Amino acid sequence: MTPFDRDLAARLCADRAGLRIDPDKAYLLESRLAPVARREGFGSLGELMQVVRDRGEERLVWAVVEAMAVSESSFFRDPGVFDALAAETLPALVQARGDQPVRIWSAACGTGQEVFSLAMLLEEDPALGERSLEKAQAGLYSQFEVQRGLPARRLLRHFEKRDEMFALSPRVRQMVRWRRVNLTEDLGRMGGFDLILCRHVAGGLTEAARVSVLKSLAGLLDPGGVLVLGRSETLEGVRTALSALAGRPGLFAHPEAVRAAA
Amino acid sequence: MNTCLVVDDSRVIRKVARRILEDLGFEVAEASDGLEALAWCSAVMPQAILLDWHMPVMNGIEFLRRLRQEPGGDAPKVVFCSVENDLARIREALDSGADEYIMKPFDGDIVAAKFAYVGLAA
């Protein structure tokens, strides 16, 4: 890949999705974009980039940007966060919501392990599970993926074998609804949420995009709701009323809710 | 230091598992079938056992059933490690007294996570 093509790809990622591609991550461009070139029928990555440059076809531009936005994930990544959500946050939200469903958003969900981890937690607690969400998507994972983060008993409880893949049970799948969203665009139409997870996403954004995305997400949080970032991520530089929950790295809530929890 | 007995008829698997488990802070011993493992356990009961299913002489399930009847044999945390990846077989292993289950092939992260689930974090 020529330096010119690398710059073009990095600029498209920044402009369209606020993604920061550091120069030392240039190798990622080649490893992520080569499969895109093959899939789209180009003989080389250079040919793909030439067509992107000459024609600027939206579909191809987005194929490039989305390939760079994919992040690695695993079930119950950072177990301490899920322990805290299961023990405190989710029961409190369910109680506060009464008969209304609790709305949870896993922003930048990658391959879905985070949101399905939450759905499993809800399904395992009958008091929490009856409520919740709708719809479904495939929920198919490889043997390798289901061994990352899932104890055997949870695997047996929530999955069935389909050829060499493992399929999440319909009970868990139907708790989740999927939508393709560009976090850097207007998120107002998403409506309010009780719990928003956006972990290990902000670090890959340009500073301007980071501030703008986190501000939008904070604005979508209902009073009493909780925003979950990565353990070491903060709301620094973001104008928001949210403040950190003591002793819960990465968790943020409205000040009234923080006081109520104390 | 926690001890772990690696029971597998493949020398290569034992070697790979030993390296991973030693990195996790275990002292590792090896047995190549269930009978050899039982003899080892009646001499010194380990804290953990990484157990293959299909082995000559005595397979993993038979070993596990006999181990759990031994004095002190309910103490070791047993993590099955097998190419069997049907959920019915995994359930059979847990019902026979296993605490966790690893599907081969595995890597260091998977072994570390499974041992953490059974309370043997590095």
Side-chain angles (χ1 to χ4, degrees):
Chain A
M1 201 172 184
T2 66
F4 190 72
D5 285 345
R6 276 202 289 272
D7 287 350
L8 172 63
R11 187 159 45 76
L12 286 172
C13 289
D15 290 349
R16 300 302 181 94
L19 290 175
R20 194 185 70 219
I21 311 291
D22 291 334
D24 65 334
K25 293 279 170 58
Y27 67 92
L28 263 185
L29 283 168
E30 303 210 14
S31 64
R32 294 266 180 88
L33 296 183
V36 175
R38 271 198 303 278
R39 194 182 68 216
E40 297 291 338
F42 292 100
S44 68
L45 183 45
E47 286 179 29
L48 165 69
M49 293 311 296
Q50 189 179 348
V51 172
V52 166
R53 187 168 58 239
D54 294 349
R55 296 196 216 140
E57 197 182 312
E58 277 300 292
R59 196 183 58 80
L60 283 181
V61 169
W62 277 107
V64 168
V65 173
E66 286 190 5
M68 296 311 299
V70 173
S71 59
E72 274 219 9
S73 183
S74 62
F75 290 106
F76 296 93
R77 179 178 180 185
D78 199 351
V81 170
F82 286 91
D83 291 346
L85 292 177
E88 299 163 14
T89 312
L90 290 171
L93 289 173
V94 166
Q95 195 180 10
R97 284 308 234 147
D99 291 338
Q100 296 300 307
V102 174
R103 298 192 73 212
I104 299 172
W105 180 16
S106 170
C109 65
T111 39
Q113 281 95 328
E114 175 176 81
V115 72
F116 278 137
S117 298
L118 282 165
M120 280 186 246
L121 281 184
L122 290 164
E123 198 278 333
E124 284 169 18
D125 185 335
L128 302 178
E130 288 166 359
R131 319 284 168 79
S132 308
L133 316 170
E134 290 137 53
K135 290 278 159 65
Q137 208 175 37
L140 271 181
Y141 294 95
S142 70
Q143 176 174 311
F144 194 71
E145 288 169 318
V146 296
Q147 298 219 81
R148 295 204 170 279
L150 285 181
R153 285 188 172 77
R154 218 168 224 154
L155 176 71
L156 290 177
R157 174 171 182 151
H158 295 294
F159 288 78
E160 55 194 48
K161 192 89 181 293
R162 207 174 288 165
D163 297 323
E164 282 310 299
M165 299 293 279
F166 293 81
L168 261 164
S169 74
R171 282 196 315 280
V172 174
R173 285 210 314 275
Q174 72 186 3
M175 296 167 79
V176 178
R177 192 166 40 180
W178 306 85
R179 197 190 288 181
R180 177 180 295 231
V181 172
N182 184 343
L183 292 178
T184 62
E185 288 175 357
D186 180 17
L187 301 175
R189 66 197 157 82
M190 295 289 292
F193 289 90
D194 300 298
L195 182 62
I196 299 178
L197 297 100
C198 188
R199 301 189 300 154
H200 314 292
V201 175
L205 302 178
T206 62
E207 181 57 14
R210 184 189 78 86
V211 168
S212 143
V213 166
L214 291 177
K215 187 164 183 290
S216 313
L217 294 182
L220 293 178
L221 206 59
D222 284 344
V226 174
L227 172 67
V228 184
L229 304 181
R231 285 179 68 83
S232 58
E233 294 175 328
T234 69
L235 290 173
E236 199 181 319
V238 182
R239 290 180 61 172
T240 167
L242 298 185
S243 55
L245 281 171
R248 295 283 174 223
L251 269 59
F252 300 83
H254 286 285
E256 315 83 69
V258 173
R259 274 197 297 279
Chain B
M1 185 183 268
N2 283 328
T3 52
C4 182
L5 177 62
V6 175
V7 190
D8 200 303
D9 57 337
S10 157
R11 200 154 49 87
V12 174
I13 296 282
R14 291 201 304 271
K15 191 174 164 190
V16 171
R18 169 187 283 277
R19 186 176 44 72
I20 291 172
L21 288 162
E22 284 179 346
D23 282 351
L24 292 174
F26 285 92
E27 191 176 331
V28 176
E30 299 178 20
S32 58
D33 63 64
L35 204 58
E36 201 181 304
L38 268 185
W40 209 94
C41 289
S42 57
V44 190
M45 199 61 82
Q47 274 82 38
I49 300 173
L50 187 73
L51 181 62
D52 188 19
W53 191 307
H54 301 288
M55 293 176 290
V57 188
M58 184 190 291
N59 71 30
I61 291 283
E62 178 63 20
F63 160 78
L64 183 53
R65 291 193 181 121
R66 307 240 319 236
L67 170 77
R68 294 308 195 199
Q69 288 163 9
E70 292 275 312
D74 52 354
K77 299 291 186 187
V78 174
V79 178
F80 248 100
C81 184
S82 169
V83 291
E84 292 283 355
N85 63 5
D86 276 334
L87 296 181
R89 303 312 291 274
I90 296 175
R91 186 168 282 117
E92 183 185 348
L94 296 189
D95 288 349
S96 302
D99 297 282
E100 256 302 336
Y101 196 102
I102 293 171
M103 293 174 271
K104 290 175 181 169
F106 57 88
D107 64 14
D109 289 347
I110 290 172
V111 174
K114 296 287 184 176
F115 276 77
Y117 299 149
V118 300
L120 289 172

